[in-house]
PDB file of all heavy atoms in Angstrom:
ATOM      1  N   ALA A   1       0.829  -1.204   0.000  1.00  0.00           N
ATOM      2  CA  ALA A   1       0.000   0.000   0.000  1.00  0.00           C
ATOM      3  C   ALA A   1       0.864   1.255   0.000  1.00  0.00           C
ATOM      4  O   ALA A   1       0.542   2.247  -0.668  1.00  0.00           O
ATOM      5  CB  ALA A   1      -0.919  -0.008   1.220  1.00  0.00           C
ATOM      6  N   LEU A   2       1.975   1.212   0.730  1.00  0.00           N
ATOM      7  CA  LEU A   2       2.868   2.365   0.778  1.00  0.00           C
ATOM      8  C   LEU A   2       3.467   2.650  -0.595  1.00  0.00           C
ATOM      9  O   LEU A   2       3.621   3.818  -0.981  1.00  0.00           O
ATOM     10  CB  LEU A   2       3.981   2.122   1.798  1.00  0.00           C
ATOM     11  CG  LEU A   2       4.974   3.276   1.993  1.00  0.00           C
ATOM     12  CD1 LEU A   2       4.260   4.530   2.467  1.00  0.00           C
ATOM     13  CD2 LEU A   2       6.056   2.869   2.996  1.00  0.00           C
ATOM     14  N   THR A   3       3.786   1.606  -1.348  1.00  0.00           N
ATOM     15  CA  THR A   3       4.331   1.819  -2.697  1.00  0.00           C
ATOM     16  C   THR A   3       3.308   2.529  -3.588  1.00  0.00           C
ATOM     17  O   THR A   3       3.677   3.337  -4.443  1.00  0.00           O
ATOM     18  CB  THR A   3       4.758   0.501  -3.363  1.00  0.00           C
ATOM     19  OG1 THR A   3       3.616  -0.341  -3.587  1.00  0.00           O
ATOM     20  CG2 THR A   3       5.780  -0.239  -2.514  1.00  0.00           C
ATOM     21  N   LEU A   4       2.026   2.224  -3.396  1.00  0.00           N
ATOM     22  CA  LEU A   4       0.990   2.895  -4.178  1.00  0.00           C
ATOM     23  C   LEU A   4       0.921   4.377  -3.833  1.00  0.00           C
ATOM     24  O   LEU A   4       0.817   5.239  -4.717  1.00  0.00           O
ATOM     25  CB  LEU A   4      -0.371   2.232  -3.923  1.00  0.00           C
ATOM     26  CG  LEU A   4      -0.551   0.805  -4.434  1.00  0.00           C
ATOM     27  CD1 LEU A   4      -1.894   0.245  -3.964  1.00  0.00           C
ATOM     28  CD2 LEU A   4      -0.472   0.747  -5.956  1.00  0.00           C
ATOM     29  N   VAL A   5       0.966   4.680  -2.528  1.00  0.00           N
ATOM     30  CA  VAL A   5       0.912   6.082  -2.096  1.00  0.00           C
ATOM     31  C   VAL A   5       2.123   6.846  -2.622  1.00  0.00           C
ATOM     32  O   VAL A   5       1.997   7.973  -3.118  1.00  0.00           O
ATOM     33  CB  VAL A   5       0.831   6.171  -0.561  1.00  0.00           C
ATOM     34  CG1 VAL A   5       0.880   7.629  -0.106  1.00  0.00           C
ATOM     35  CG2 VAL A   5      -0.450   5.517  -0.045  1.00  0.00           C
ATOM     36  N   LEU A   6       3.299   6.243  -2.528  1.00  0.00           N
ATOM     37  CA  LEU A   6       4.510   6.906  -3.008  1.00  0.00           C
ATOM     38  C   LEU A   6       4.459   7.125  -4.517  1.00  0.00           C
ATOM     39  O   LEU A   6       4.875   8.181  -5.018  1.00  0.00           O
ATOM     40  CB  LEU A   6       5.743   6.078  -2.636  1.00  0.00           C
ATOM     41  CG  LEU A   6       6.070   6.011  -1.141  1.00  0.00           C
ATOM     42  CD1 LEU A   6       7.252   5.076  -0.898  1.00  0.00           C
ATOM     43  CD2 LEU A   6       6.359   7.394  -0.583  1.00  0.00           C
ATOM     44  N   ALA A   7       3.940   6.147  -5.250  1.00  0.00           N
ATOM     45  CA  ALA A   7       3.808   6.301  -6.701  1.00  0.00           C
ATOM     46  C   ALA A   7       2.901   7.474  -7.040  1.00  0.00           C
ATOM     47  O   ALA A   7       3.138   8.205  -8.012  1.00  0.00           O
ATOM     48  CB  ALA A   7       3.272   5.013  -7.319  1.00  0.00           C
ATOM     49  N   SER A   8       1.858   7.682  -6.235  1.00  0.00           N
ATOM     50  CA  SER A   8       0.924   8.780  -6.502  1.00  0.00           C
ATOM     51  C   SER A   8       1.554  10.144  -6.265  1.00  0.00           C
ATOM     52  O   SER A   8       1.051  11.163  -6.769  1.00  0.00           O
ATOM     53  CB  SER A   8      -0.330   8.630  -5.626  1.00  0.00           C
ATOM     54  OG  SER A   8      -0.052   8.972  -4.269  1.00  0.00           O
ATOM     55  N   LEU A   9       2.653  10.199  -5.502  1.00  0.00           N
ATOM     56  CA  LEU A   9       3.297  11.479  -5.192  1.00  0.00           C
ATOM     57  C   LEU A   9       4.385  11.865  -6.189  1.00  0.00           C
ATOM     58  O   LEU A   9       4.805  13.026  -6.242  1.00  0.00           O
ATOM     59  CB  LEU A   9       3.900  11.419  -3.780  1.00  0.00           C
ATOM     60  CG  LEU A   9       2.893  11.305  -2.637  1.00  0.00           C
ATOM     61  CD1 LEU A   9       3.622  11.193  -1.302  1.00  0.00           C
ATOM     62  CD2 LEU A   9       1.940  12.489  -2.615  1.00  0.00           C
ATOM     63  N   ILE A  10       4.856  10.913  -6.974  1.00  0.00           N
ATOM     64  CA  ILE A  10       5.945  11.198  -7.912  1.00  0.00           C
ATOM     65  C   ILE A  10       5.566  12.259  -8.950  1.00  0.00           C
ATOM     66  O   ILE A  10       6.394  13.125  -9.284  1.00  0.00           O
ATOM     67  CB  ILE A  10       6.420   9.894  -8.586  1.00  0.00           C
ATOM     68  CG1 ILE A  10       7.131   9.017  -7.548  1.00  0.00           C
ATOM     69  CG2 ILE A  10       7.355  10.191  -9.757  1.00  0.00           C
ATOM     70  CD1 ILE A  10       7.577   7.671  -8.076  1.00  0.00           C
ATOM     71  N   PRO A  11       4.326  12.268  -9.495  1.00  0.00           N
ATOM     72  CA  PRO A  11       3.982  13.328 -10.464  1.00  0.00           C
ATOM     73  C   PRO A  11       4.049  14.735  -9.873  1.00  0.00           C
ATOM     74  O   PRO A  11       4.189  15.705 -10.612  1.00  0.00           O
ATOM     75  CB  PRO A  11       2.545  12.984 -10.876  1.00  0.00           C
ATOM     76  CG  PRO A  11       2.397  11.540 -10.576  1.00  0.00           C
ATOM     77  CD  PRO A  11       3.232  11.294  -9.361  1.00  0.00           C
ATOM     78  N   PHE A  12       3.947  14.865  -8.552  1.00  0.00           N
ATOM     79  CA  PHE A  12       4.120  16.163  -7.897  1.00  0.00           C
ATOM     80  C   PHE A  12       5.608  16.458  -7.692  1.00  0.00           C
ATOM     81  O   PHE A  12       6.054  17.591  -7.837  1.00  0.00           O
ATOM     82  CB  PHE A  12       3.425  16.166  -6.533  1.00  0.00           C
ATOM     83  CG  PHE A  12       1.965  15.868  -6.568  1.00  0.00           C
ATOM     84  CD1 PHE A  12       1.498  14.573  -6.415  1.00  0.00           C
ATOM     85  CD2 PHE A  12       1.032  16.882  -6.754  1.00  0.00           C
ATOM     86  CE1 PHE A  12       0.145  14.291  -6.444  1.00  0.00           C
ATOM     87  CE2 PHE A  12      -0.323  16.614  -6.783  1.00  0.00           C
ATOM     88  CZ  PHE A  12      -0.770  15.311  -6.634  1.00  0.00           C
ATOM     89  N   ALA A  13       6.362  15.415  -7.335  1.00  0.00           N
ATOM     90  CA  ALA A  13       7.773  15.598  -6.999  1.00  0.00           C
ATOM     91  C   ALA A  13       8.609  16.001  -8.209  1.00  0.00           C
ATOM     92  O   ALA A  13       9.574  16.768  -8.068  1.00  0.00           O
ATOM     93  CB  ALA A  13       8.333  14.312  -6.386  1.00  0.00           C
ATOM     94  N   ILE A  14       8.257  15.509  -9.399  1.00  0.00           N
ATOM     95  CA  ILE A  14       9.063  15.805 -10.590  1.00  0.00           C
ATOM     96  C   ILE A  14       9.052  17.305 -10.924  1.00  0.00           C
ATOM     97  O   ILE A  14      10.129  17.912 -11.090  1.00  0.00           O
ATOM     98  CB  ILE A  14       8.601  14.956 -11.784  1.00  0.00           C
ATOM     99  CG1 ILE A  14       8.951  13.480 -11.528  1.00  0.00           C
ATOM    100  CG2 ILE A  14       9.252  15.444 -13.077  1.00  0.00           C
ATOM    101  CD1 ILE A  14       8.451  12.535 -12.601  1.00  0.00           C
ATOM    102  N   PRO A  15       7.881  17.968 -11.029  1.00  0.00           N
ATOM    103  CA  PRO A  15       7.919  19.419 -11.299  1.00  0.00           C
ATOM    104  C   PRO A  15       8.610  20.206 -10.186  1.00  0.00           C
ATOM    105  O   PRO A  15       9.340  21.163 -10.468  1.00  0.00           O
ATOM    106  CB  PRO A  15       6.434  19.800 -11.405  1.00  0.00           C
ATOM    107  CG  PRO A  15       5.734  18.535 -11.737  1.00  0.00           C
ATOM    108  CD  PRO A  15       6.498  17.458 -11.040  1.00  0.00           C
ATOM    109  N   ILE A  16       8.394  19.813  -8.934  1.00  0.00           N
ATOM    110  CA  ILE A  16       9.048  20.508  -7.824  1.00  0.00           C
ATOM    111  C   ILE A  16      10.564  20.341  -7.918  1.00  0.00           C
ATOM    112  O   ILE A  16      11.324  21.294  -7.694  1.00  0.00           O
ATOM    113  CB  ILE A  16       8.520  19.978  -6.475  1.00  0.00           C
ATOM    114  CG1 ILE A  16       7.048  20.372  -6.295  1.00  0.00           C
ATOM    115  CG2 ILE A  16       9.346  20.532  -5.318  1.00  0.00           C
ATOM    116  CD1 ILE A  16       6.389  19.784  -5.055  1.00  0.00           C
ATOM    117  N   GLY A  17      11.017  19.136  -8.264  1.00  0.00           N
ATOM    118  CA  GLY A  17      12.443  18.903  -8.424  1.00  0.00           C
ATOM    119  C   GLY A  17      13.043  19.728  -9.546  1.00  0.00           C
ATOM    120  O   GLY A  17      14.141  20.296  -9.404  1.00  0.00           O
ATOM    121  N   ILE A  18      12.332  19.811 -10.665  1.00  0.00           N
ATOM    122  CA  ILE A  18      12.803  20.633 -11.791  1.00  0.00           C
ATOM    123  C   ILE A  18      12.897  22.095 -11.368  1.00  0.00           C
ATOM    124  O   ILE A  18      13.864  22.801 -11.677  1.00  0.00           O
ATOM    125  CB  ILE A  18      11.862  20.472 -13.004  1.00  0.00           C
ATOM    126  CG1 ILE A  18      11.971  19.055 -13.575  1.00  0.00           C
ATOM    127  CG2 ILE A  18      12.175  21.517 -14.079  1.00  0.00           C
ATOM    128  CD1 ILE A  18      10.975  18.745 -14.666  1.00  0.00           C
ATOM    129  N   TYR A  19      11.900  22.564 -10.635  1.00  0.00           N
ATOM    130  CA  TYR A  19      11.862  23.945 -10.150  1.00  0.00           C
ATOM    131  C   TYR A  19      13.059  24.232  -9.248  1.00  0.00           C
ATOM    132  O   TYR A  19      13.697  25.293  -9.349  1.00  0.00           O
ATOM    133  CB  TYR A  19      10.559  24.166  -9.394  1.00  0.00           C
ATOM    134  CG  TYR A  19      10.386  25.535  -8.791  1.00  0.00           C
ATOM    135  CD1 TYR A  19       9.810  26.569  -9.519  1.00  0.00           C
ATOM    136  CD2 TYR A  19      10.776  25.794  -7.470  1.00  0.00           C
ATOM    137  CE1 TYR A  19       9.631  27.828  -8.960  1.00  0.00           C
ATOM    138  CE2 TYR A  19      10.613  27.042  -6.905  1.00  0.00           C
ATOM    139  CZ  TYR A  19      10.039  28.059  -7.651  1.00  0.00           C
ATOM    140  OH  TYR A  19       9.874  29.303  -7.103  1.00  0.00           O
ATOM    141  N   LEU A  20      13.399  23.301  -8.366  1.00  0.00           N
ATOM    142  CA  LEU A  20      14.486  23.512  -7.409  1.00  0.00           C
ATOM    143  C   LEU A  20      15.863  23.386  -8.050  1.00  0.00           C
ATOM    144  O   LEU A  20      16.778  24.149  -7.738  1.00  0.00           O
ATOM    145  CB  LEU A  20      14.369  22.506  -6.262  1.00  0.00           C
ATOM    146  CG  LEU A  20      13.205  22.706  -5.284  1.00  0.00           C
ATOM    147  CD1 LEU A  20      13.114  21.528  -4.318  1.00  0.00           C
ATOM    148  CD2 LEU A  20      13.373  24.011  -4.519  1.00  0.00           C
ATOM    149  N   ILE A  21      16.010  22.421  -8.949  1.00  0.00           N
ATOM    150  CA  ILE A  21      17.328  22.099  -9.490  1.00  0.00           C
ATOM    151  C   ILE A  21      17.724  23.001 -10.654  1.00  0.00           C
ATOM    152  O   ILE A  21      18.872  23.451 -10.757  1.00  0.00           O
ATOM    153  CB  ILE A  21      17.386  20.624  -9.923  1.00  0.00           C
ATOM    154  CG1 ILE A  21      17.228  19.720  -8.696  1.00  0.00           C
ATOM    155  CG2 ILE A  21      18.691  20.313 -10.646  1.00  0.00           C
ATOM    156  CD1 ILE A  21      17.034  18.252  -9.038  1.00  0.00           C
ATOM    157  N   MET A  22      16.771  23.295 -11.528  1.00  0.00           N
ATOM    158  CA  MET A  22      17.118  23.986 -12.783  1.00  0.00           C
ATOM    159  C   MET A  22      16.940  25.504 -12.725  1.00  0.00           C
ATOM    160  O   MET A  22      17.329  26.207 -13.662  1.00  0.00           O
ATOM    161  CB  MET A  22      16.289  23.416 -13.931  1.00  0.00           C
ATOM    162  CG  MET A  22      16.574  21.958 -14.228  1.00  0.00           C
ATOM    163  SD  MET A  22      15.627  21.335 -15.653  1.00  0.00           S
ATOM    164  CE  MET A  22      16.287  22.344 -16.982  1.00  0.00           C
ATOM    165  N   GLY A  23      16.346  26.022 -11.686  1.00  0.00           N
ATOM    166  CA  GLY A  23      16.220  27.470 -11.556  1.00  0.00           C
ATOM    167  C   GLY A  23      15.370  28.084 -12.657  1.00  0.00           C
ATOM    168  O   GLY A  23      14.280  27.600 -12.979  1.00  0.00           O
ATOM    169  N   VAL A  24      15.881  29.175 -13.277  1.00  0.00           N
ATOM    170  CA  VAL A  24      15.136  29.889 -14.314  1.00  0.00           C
ATOM    171  C   VAL A  24      14.836  28.981 -15.494  1.00  0.00           C
ATOM    172  O   VAL A  24      13.735  29.006 -16.057  1.00  0.00           O
ATOM    173  CB  VAL A  24      15.932  31.132 -14.785  1.00  0.00           C
ATOM    174  CG1 VAL A  24      15.211  31.800 -15.954  1.00  0.00           C
ATOM    175  CG2 VAL A  24      16.100  32.119 -13.636  1.00  0.00           C
ATOM    176  N   ARG A  25      15.821  28.176 -15.909  1.00  0.00           N
ATOM    177  CA  ARG A  25      15.589  27.242 -17.024  1.00  0.00           C
ATOM    178  C   ARG A  25      14.476  26.263 -16.692  1.00  0.00           C
ATOM    179  O   ARG A  25      13.698  25.875 -17.557  1.00  0.00           O
ATOM    180  CB  ARG A  25      16.876  26.492 -17.363  1.00  0.00           C
ATOM    181  CG  ARG A  25      17.932  27.344 -18.036  1.00  0.00           C
ATOM    182  CD  ARG A  25      19.082  26.492 -18.502  1.00  0.00           C
ATOM    183  NE  ARG A  25      19.693  25.779 -17.392  1.00  0.00           N
ATOM    184  CZ  ARG A  25      20.082  24.511 -17.427  1.00  0.00           C
ATOM    185  NH1 ARG A  25      19.917  23.812 -18.533  1.00  0.00           N
ATOM    186  NH2 ARG A  25      20.650  23.951 -16.380  1.00  0.00           N
ATOM    187  N   GLY A  26      14.416  25.857 -15.427  1.00  0.00           N
ATOM    188  CA  GLY A  26      13.359  24.950 -15.006  1.00  0.00           C
ATOM    189  C   GLY A  26      11.988  25.599 -15.106  1.00  0.00           C
ATOM    190  O   GLY A  26      11.025  24.960 -15.529  1.00  0.00           O
ATOM    191  N   LYS A  27      11.891  26.877 -14.752  1.00  0.00           N
ATOM    192  CA  LYS A  27      10.623  27.589 -14.854  1.00  0.00           C
ATOM    193  C   LYS A  27      10.159  27.683 -16.305  1.00  0.00           C
ATOM    194  O   LYS A  27       8.979  27.510 -16.609  1.00  0.00           O
ATOM    195  CB  LYS A  27      10.748  28.986 -14.245  1.00  0.00           C
ATOM    196  CG  LYS A  27      11.001  28.987 -12.746  1.00  0.00           C
ATOM    197  CD  LYS A  27      11.151  30.414 -12.218  1.00  0.00           C
ATOM    198  CE  LYS A  27      11.459  30.412 -10.729  1.00  0.00           C
ATOM    199  NZ  LYS A  27      11.645  31.783 -10.195  1.00  0.00           N
ATOM    200  N   ASP A  28      11.107  27.964 -17.194  1.00  0.00           N
ATOM    201  CA  ASP A  28      10.772  28.035 -18.621  1.00  0.00           C
ATOM    202  C   ASP A  28      10.295  26.677 -19.133  1.00  0.00           C
ATOM    203  O   ASP A  28       9.323  26.585 -19.901  1.00  0.00           O
ATOM    204  CB  ASP A  28      11.982  28.492 -19.437  1.00  0.00           C
ATOM    205  CG  ASP A  28      12.351  29.943 -19.164  1.00  0.00           C
ATOM    206  OD1 ASP A  28      11.469  30.694 -18.701  1.00  0.00           O
ATOM    207  OD2 ASP A  28      13.514  30.303 -19.396  1.00  0.00           O
ATOM    208  N   LEU A  29      10.977  25.615 -18.723  1.00  0.00           N
ATOM    209  CA  LEU A  29      10.594  24.269 -19.142  1.00  0.00           C
ATOM    210  C   LEU A  29       9.207  23.915 -18.628  1.00  0.00           C
ATOM    211  O   LEU A  29       8.378  23.374 -19.375  1.00  0.00           O
ATOM    212  CB  LEU A  29      11.619  23.257 -18.626  1.00  0.00           C
ATOM    213  CG  LEU A  29      11.285  21.765 -18.865  1.00  0.00           C
ATOM    214  CD1 LEU A  29      11.164  21.480 -20.363  1.00  0.00           C
ATOM    215  CD2 LEU A  29      12.348  20.883 -18.220  1.00  0.00           C
ATOM    216  N   LEU A  30       8.936  24.244 -17.373  1.00  0.00           N
ATOM    217  CA  LEU A  30       7.630  23.940 -16.798  1.00  0.00           C
ATOM    218  C   LEU A  30       6.516  24.710 -17.497  1.00  0.00           C
ATOM    219  O   LEU A  30       5.416  24.183 -17.691  1.00  0.00           O
ATOM    220  CB  LEU A  30       7.633  24.249 -15.296  1.00  0.00           C
ATOM    221  CG  LEU A  30       8.499  23.322 -14.422  1.00  0.00           C
ATOM    222  CD1 LEU A  30       8.520  23.817 -12.986  1.00  0.00           C
ATOM    223  CD2 LEU A  30       7.989  21.883 -14.482  1.00  0.00           C
ATOM    224  N   ARG A  31       6.792  25.954 -17.882  1.00  0.00           N
ATOM    225  CA  ARG A  31       5.780  26.735 -18.607  1.00  0.00           C
ATOM    226  C   ARG A  31       5.464  26.089 -19.960  1.00  0.00           C
ATOM    227  O   ARG A  31       4.304  26.034 -20.381  1.00  0.00           O
ATOM    228  CB  ARG A  31       6.258  28.177 -18.800  1.00  0.00           C
ATOM    229  CG  ARG A  31       6.052  29.071 -17.596  1.00  0.00           C
ATOM    230  CD  ARG A  31       6.228  30.528 -17.955  1.00  0.00           C
ATOM    231  NE  ARG A  31       7.632  30.848 -18.249  1.00  0.00           N
ATOM    232  CZ  ARG A  31       8.483  31.292 -17.342  1.00  0.00           C
ATOM    233  NH1 ARG A  31       8.100  31.458 -16.086  1.00  0.00           N
ATOM    234  NH2 ARG A  31       9.734  31.574 -17.684  1.00  0.00           N
ATOM    235  N   LYS A  32       6.507  25.596 -20.640  1.00  0.00           N
ATOM    236  CA  LYS A  32       6.288  24.943 -21.924  1.00  0.00           C
ATOM    237  C   LYS A  32       5.497  23.649 -21.748  1.00  0.00           C
ATOM    238  O   LYS A  32       4.596  23.353 -22.542  1.00  0.00           O
ATOM    239  CB  LYS A  32       7.638  24.649 -22.588  1.00  0.00           C
ATOM    240  CG  LYS A  32       8.381  25.900 -23.040  1.00  0.00           C
ATOM    241  CD  LYS A  32       9.737  25.549 -23.639  1.00  0.00           C
ATOM    242  CE  LYS A  32      10.486  26.801 -24.068  1.00  0.00           C
ATOM    243  NZ  LYS A  32      11.841  26.495 -24.593  1.00  0.00           N
TER     244      LYS A  32
END
């Protein structure tokens, strides 16, 4: 059950990770 919950959170974690790691370039990528 925990693996299911964690899988459901990954689609949130990916944009947040891009935002934190890539900075301005990440914001541009997310907008696209």
